[in-house]
Amino acid sequence: MANEIIKGMGYSHMAIGASDFQKSLAFYEALGCRLYTQWGDIGSRIALLDIGDGGKLELFERIGMNASGENAFIHFAFAVQDVEAAYETALKAGAMSVKAPVEMPLDAKPLKITLRVAFVKGPSGEDLEFFKQIVNRFK
């Protein structure tokens, strides 16, 4: 069923923190997730993994994070056609702004990508991202 309020909205990715980045990356690859792209330096690495149906898992390196999994959830991301419209709709619905829409070119490997993103906090304090990958654009 299509979203009638924010046109084209669907699942993009869930972001989680990894207390041992390499171990977590190897684990998800062993589950069949394929590395889409990654960026950052040791201590702040991020990997985007395709989980198999086009949805992604974003893995953030979190040195010193408790390995119990507590606070591993970082954010839930919605793929949208219009980041600004989704952001404004969320604010009107009661979300609190975390980061207004911005374009982010990532020096990622093997795939360099540019994103349009915005972040809000939902009513229970959950972090939500509105996300659009801009194809064939890297500055």
Side-chain angles (χ1 to χ4, degrees):
M1 177 179 344
N3 187 315
E4 295 298 321
I5 298 193
I6 299 176
K7 305 294 184 200
M9 187 164 85
Y11 174 78
S12 174
H13 64 271
M14 178 166 299
I16 60 171
S19 59
D20 183 327
F21 185 79
Q22 284 305 128
K23 184 176 180 180
S24 292
L25 184 58
F27 171 77
Y28 286 106
E29 288 178 324
L31 295 182
C33 299
R34 296 182 62 189
L35 182 65
Y36 181 73
T37 195
Q38 64 182 1
W39 59 95
D41 297 317
I42 292 178
S44 62
R45 293 174 288 183
I46 301 170
L48 198 57
L49 299 150
D50 188 321
I51 63 174
D53 66 353
K56 306 282 189 299
L57 172 65
E58 192 174 23
L59 191 62
F60 280 76
E61 183 172 30
R62 294 289 190 246
I63 293 175
M65 185 179 103
N66 184 332
S68 71
E70 187 176 332
N71 299 318
F73 171 78
I74 297 175
H75 65 256
F76 185 82
F78 294 102
V80 298
Q81 292 175 355
D82 185 335
V83 172
E84 285 75 8
Y87 174 79
E88 292 300 326
T89 299
L91 294 181
K92 288 177 187 168
M96 291 182 5
S97 176
V98 173
K99 184 174 198 149
V102 64
E103 195 166 298
M104 296 174 50
L106 300 176
D107 188 17
K109 293 172 182 69
L111 179 65
K112 291 183 183 294
I113 57 177
T114 298
L115 311 175
R116 185 87 182 147
V117 297
F119 291 88
V120 300
K121 282 207 179 283
S124 296
E126 67 275 23
D127 290 310
L128 304 175
E129 175 183 359
F130 298 110
F131 168 97
K132 180 176 183 177
Q133 181 174 326
I134 302 170
V135 180
N136 297 327
R137 187 147 122 212
F138 188 78
K139 296 177 182 175

